[in-house]
Amino acid sequence: MSTDPVNKEEVSQEKAPPMPRWVKIVGIFFIIFILLFIILHLTGNGLGMHKVHASQIEVQ
Protein backbone atom coordinates (compact mmCIF):
# COMPACT_ATOMS: atom_id res chain seq x y z
CA MET A 1 0.00 0.00 0.00
CA SER A 2 2.44 2.52 -1.18
CA THR A 3 1.38 6.08 -1.82
CA ASP A 4 4.38 6.59 -4.10
CA PRO A 5 3.04 8.04 -7.39
CA VAL A 6 5.85 6.50 -9.47
CA ASN A 7 5.50 2.83 -10.30
CA LYS A 8 8.77 0.90 -9.78
CA GLU A 9 8.25 -1.04 -13.02
CA GLU A 10 8.06 2.20 -15.00
CA VAL A 11 11.33 3.45 -13.51
CA SER A 12 13.18 0.22 -14.30
CA GLN A 13 11.94 0.21 -17.92
CA GLU A 14 13.14 3.73 -18.73
CA LYS A 15 15.74 3.75 -21.48
CA ALA A 16 19.10 5.42 -21.13
CA PRO A 17 19.71 8.35 -23.47
CA PRO A 18 21.10 7.25 -26.86
CA MET A 19 24.85 7.26 -27.45
CA PRO A 20 26.04 10.36 -29.33
CA ARG A 21 27.04 9.85 -32.97
CA TRP A 22 30.61 11.09 -32.41
CA VAL A 23 31.17 8.39 -29.78
CA LYS A 24 30.10 5.70 -32.24
CA ILE A 25 32.35 7.11 -35.00
CA VAL A 26 35.39 7.36 -32.72
CA GLY A 27 34.75 3.80 -31.51
CA ILE A 28 34.57 2.47 -35.07
CA PHE A 29 37.82 4.23 -36.05
CA PHE A 30 39.53 2.91 -32.92
CA ILE A 31 38.45 -0.67 -33.67
CA ILE A 32 39.61 -0.35 -37.31
CA PHE A 33 42.99 1.04 -36.18
CA ILE A 34 43.50 -1.79 -33.68
CA LEU A 35 42.57 -4.43 -36.27
CA LEU A 36 44.92 -2.86 -38.82
CA PHE A 37 47.75 -2.81 -36.26
CA ILE A 38 47.17 -6.48 -35.39
CA ILE A 39 47.06 -7.54 -39.06
CA LEU A 40 50.25 -5.62 -39.89
CA HIS A 41 52.00 -7.03 -36.83
CA LEU A 42 51.02 -10.62 -37.66
CA THR A 43 52.16 -10.28 -41.28
CA GLY A 44 55.55 -8.96 -40.16
CA ASN A 45 55.17 -5.48 -41.61
CA GLY A 46 54.31 -3.48 -38.52
CA LEU A 47 54.43 0.28 -38.35
CA GLY A 48 58.24 0.46 -38.18
CA MET A 49 58.96 -0.16 -41.86
CA HIS A 50 62.14 1.93 -41.78
CA LYS A 51 64.01 -0.76 -39.84
CA VAL A 52 66.42 -3.07 -41.65
CA HIS A 53 65.96 -6.75 -40.97
CA ALA A 54 69.01 -8.90 -40.20
CA SER A 55 68.35 -10.98 -43.32
CA GLN A 56 68.73 -7.88 -45.52
CA ILE A 57 72.22 -6.96 -44.27
CA GLU A 58 74.97 -7.95 -46.70
CA VAL A 59 78.05 -9.51 -45.16
CA GLN A 60 81.32 -8.83 -47.00
Side-chain angles (χ1 to χ4, degrees):
M1 297 208 174
S2 173
T3 59
D4 189 13
V6 178
N7 189 353
K8 290 182 181 180
E9 292 177 8
E10 291 176 6
V11 172
S12 65
Q13 292 178 358
E14 288 183 18
K15 293 183 180 180
M19 190 181 315
R21 182 175 291 158
W22 69 269
V23 174
K24 293 177 184 178
I25 293 172
V26 169
I28 290 170
F29 279 122
F30 182 73
I31 290 170
I32 290 172
F33 178 75
I34 295 297
L35 289 175
L36 181 64
F37 179 78
I38 290 171
I39 291 169
L40 287 174
H41 182 71
L42 291 176
T43 59
N45 293 325
L47 297 177
M49 292 182 193
H50 63 278
K51 295 180 182 177
V52 177
H53 294 282
S55 63
Q56 295 175 341
I57 298 175
E58 293 181 19
V59 179
Q60 295 179 351

